[in-house]
């Protein structure tokens, strides 16, 4: 501490001189002196630096205060008064570093600042390594969409039941927030179910906007039918299809499996090519309507012949003439682009269902 006492007169001179450049220069010297000695200082000694640095850092240019904030933000025992003063600065450039990183701010400080801060300050707060429920309650209530997404994606943030409900409500109008929340493991079951329902409804509306209500309803029905789970061991088929994929997996491979009675292998291959779980293809094959298989086959640009082979391999055999003609017309009318979009929706919905069950 002899070094501190030796410059007290210089500090007073810098403050009373009225010369901003001299004051900033002295502030930098004192900050450097503190950070060099910080690991060896006790709280009383830190308090002495606190008073000096606080006096020097008041009423100086924003750039110098921002520099001080950046220099002290990661110091575990930084001067408390200085850090609080910087955290309350109206400039986010100054407050940001300590709001985001300084461990010297108490929970009560964070709550107080969050209640009156602007969006840039809230954004900095949202990135802290840990955040208590009292703080996040304020952030999710006052933050804009960007801030709320940031805090929702912060795995070190904790939320109250009320906080999670606010997040879920906001997710109704913010699809990106909904996606962020589905990645959290601590979302309560009730809110997770709401998020799944919101995502499903958003997907349904997107399909309706793109394809029309009738097509959207048909696609949703096909997907819903295909999403149940069948108790079948798919390991042998998965292994065989994976081996074939290395050599080249195509429509001929699927047709070969179908004509040789290896229907499960063909369905697993079809699912792989369509980018959906194998169980979806098996359920589509067992569905009471031809729609699920139709969407799968068209999504991978396979021919009518492949769809006929799949229909013939079902337990009830080939449909009668009228039903087969209807299936052919539907095959002709359904575009590949539409089928592919529906399959992407199917895969996304499957992930949502898995997240809901987790």
């Amino acid at each position: 501490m002899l070094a501190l006492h030796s410059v007290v007169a210089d500090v007073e001179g810098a403050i009373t001189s009225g010369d901003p450049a001299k004051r900033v220069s002295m502030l930098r010297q004192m900050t450097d002196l503190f950070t060099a000695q910080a690991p060896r200082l006790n709280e009383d000694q830190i308090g002495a630096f606190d008073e000096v640095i606080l006096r020097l850092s008041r009423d100086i240019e924003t750039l110098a205060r921002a520099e001080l904030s950046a220099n002290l933000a990661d110091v575990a025992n930084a001067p408390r008064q200085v850090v609080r003063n910087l955290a309350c600065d109206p400039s986010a450039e100054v407050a940001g570093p300590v709001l985001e990183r300084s461990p010297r701010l108490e929970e009560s400080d964070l709550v107080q600042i969050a209640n009156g801060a602007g969006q840039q300050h809230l954004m900095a707060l949202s990135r802290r390594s840990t955040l208590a429920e009292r703080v996040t309650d304020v952030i999710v209530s006052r933050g804009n969409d960007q801030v709320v997404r940031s805090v929702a994606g912060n795995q070190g943030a904790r939320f109250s039941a009320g906080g999670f409900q606010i997040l879920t409500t906001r997710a109704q109008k913010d699809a990106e927030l909904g996606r962020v929340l589905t990645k959290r493991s601590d979302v309560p079951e009730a809110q997770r179910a709401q998020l799944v329902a919101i995502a499903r409804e958003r997907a349904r509306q997107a399909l309706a906007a793109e394809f029309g209500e009738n097509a959207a309803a048909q696609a949703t029905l096909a997907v819903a039918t295909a999403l149940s789970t069948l108790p079948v061991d798919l390991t042998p088929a998965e292994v065989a299809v994976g081996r074939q994929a290395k050599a080249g997996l195509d429509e001929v491979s699927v047709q070969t499996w179908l004509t040789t009675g290896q229907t499960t292998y063909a369905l697993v291959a079809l699912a792989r090519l369509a980018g959906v779980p194998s169980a979806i293809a098996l359920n589509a094959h067992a569905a009471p309507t031809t729609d699920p298989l139709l969407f799968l086959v068209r999504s991978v640009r396979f021919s009518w012949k492949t769809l006929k082979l799949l229909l013939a391999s079902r337990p009830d055999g080939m449909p009668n003439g009228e039903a087969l003609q209807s299936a052919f017309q539907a095959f002709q009318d359904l575009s590949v682009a539409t089928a592919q979009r529906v399959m992407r929706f199917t895969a996304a919905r499957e992930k949502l269902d898995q997240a809901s069950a987790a």
Side-chain angles (χ1 to χ4, degrees), residues 23-57:
R23 188 166 180 167
V24 170
S25 176
M26 181 55 62
L27 174 62
R28 287 175 177 150
Q29 290 182 48
M30 293 303 301
T31 304
D32 290 343
L33 181 61
F34 169 76
T35 54
Q37 298 187 11
R40 301 184 296 275
L41 300 178
N42 59 40
E43 285 297 330
D44 289 338
Q45 293 168 329
I46 294 170
F49 273 102
D50 208 351
E51 294 179 13
V52 172
I53 295 176
L54 186 61
R55 291 186 65 194
L56 285 168
S57 62

Side-chain angles (χ1 to χ4, degrees), residues 94-324:
V94 174
V98 291
L99 286 178
E100 182 174 340
R101 306 196 304 273
S102 179
R104 296 293 263 182
L105 291 170
E106 302 288 344
E107 184 178 312
S108 57
D109 297 326
L110 301 178
V111 172
Q112 180 181 357
I113 293 168
N115 272 307
Q119 296 302 314
Q120 289 180 297
H121 291 66
L122 290 174
M123 179 61 81
L125 277 173
S126 75
R127 295 170 176 152
R128 288 181 69 85
S129 59
T130 60
L131 284 168
E133 294 178 359
R134 288 177 59 206
V135 185
T136 58
D137 277 351
V138 180
I139 294 176
V140 299
S141 297
R142 298 194 62 244
N144 60 23
D145 290 346
Q146 290 73 28
V147 168
V148 172
R149 290 173 195 156
S150 176
V151 75
N154 183 346
Q155 296 300 317
R158 294 293 166 260
F159 300 93
S160 66
F164 271 123
Q165 187 54 57
I166 292 173
L167 288 170
T168 303
T169 300
R170 294 187 64 151
Q172 293 177 1
K173 296 182 179 179
D174 187 346
E176 179 58 30
L177 175 60
R179 285 189 284 271
V180 170
L181 287 171
T182 59
K183 297 177 182 178
R184 295 192 65 94
S185 61
D186 56 347
V187 177
E189 184 177 348
Q191 278 71 48
R192 187 171 293 279
Q194 290 178 45
L195 290 171
V196 172
I198 291 168
R200 285 177 173 167
E201 176 58 19
R202 185 174 287 117
R204 190 202 66 78
Q205 291 175 358
L207 284 169
E210 190 163 3
F211 309 131
E213 285 290 350
N214 290 338
Q218 182 185 32
T220 303
L221 174 62
V223 169
T225 302
L227 278 176
S228 60
T229 302
L230 288 177
V232 178
D233 181 10
L234 300 179
T235 303
E238 296 278 7
V239 171
V241 170
R243 189 182 302 116
Q244 179 61 41
K246 294 179 181 179
L249 190 62
D250 55 18
E251 185 171 13
V252 173
S253 305
V254 174
Q255 290 181 353
T256 299
W257 276 315
L258 287 170
T259 56
T260 57
Q262 296 176 293
T263 305
T264 300
Y265 287 49
L267 292 169
V268 169
L270 181 61
R272 185 183 183 115
L273 291 167
V276 297
S278 298
I280 289 178
L282 267 72
N283 281 283
H285 188 256
T289 70
T290 61
D291 286 342
L293 277 179
L294 171 63
F295 280 98
L296 273 167
V297 170
R298 286 297 277 160
S299 73
V300 293
R301 300 178 182 272
F302 280 5
S303 64
W304 166 244
K305 177 183 176 180
T306 300
L307 181 57
K308 279 181 64 178
L309 288 172
L310 283 164
L311 293 175
S313 67
R314 299 201 302 178
D316 52 357
M318 184 71 77
N320 61 35
E322 183 178 348
L324 193 61

